[in-house]
Amino acid sequence: MNQSALLQYCMAKPGAEQSDRNQWQASQVKVGEVMFAMVLDLDGRPALAVKSSPEQAESLREKHPEIVPCEHLNKAHWNAVFLDGKLPDSQFYTLIDGSYQLALEGLSDQVRQELRA
């Protein structure tokens, strides 16, 4: 998995918008002003930051050494997933999909309706 492929997958989501976070040297992907993914380098390693429930975040960290708390974001909800680990590509897509769904839930009904149109 590489950063370009992940950004392309994220940007295919309805309403997705990309912006750069220069202080972190990262690309954020948001829907309706709510971030659902961030592609960045952590300690010189390419990574993807995604949101999940605190329970799922902890469970993922216990099962996969390439998943760690994200240093720039709320560590209870946000994981950084190193791209150079052994996680299969399908798991990255599943994590992005879940994070996108959480972002949608945080939007107003009106914004969600507009995204469906």
Side-chain angles (χ1 to χ4, degrees), residues 42-94:
L42 288 176
D43 301 323
R45 295 174 66 189
L48 168 72
V50 288
K51 187 175 184 179
S52 66
S53 70
E55 298 80 19
Q56 183 186 27
E58 189 61 37
S59 174
L60 288 165
R61 293 173 197 156
E62 290 172 2
K63 292 177 185 173
H64 304 284
E66 57 271 283
I67 299 179
V68 298
C70 190
E71 66 184 50
H72 299 301
L73 303 168
N74 181 328
K75 292 169 183 53
H77 294 273
W78 287 88
N79 280 331
V81 185
F82 291 109
L83 307 187
D84 57 4
K86 295 185 170 140
L87 208 62
D89 290 356
S90 61
Q91 186 71 39
F92 284 97
Y93 299 133
T94 299

Side-chain angles (χ1 to χ4, degrees), residues 9 13 36 40 46 55 65 68 100 111:
Y9 184 77
K13 300 283 184 198
F36 68 91
L40 68 162
E55 298 80 19
V68 298
Y100 179 77
V111 173

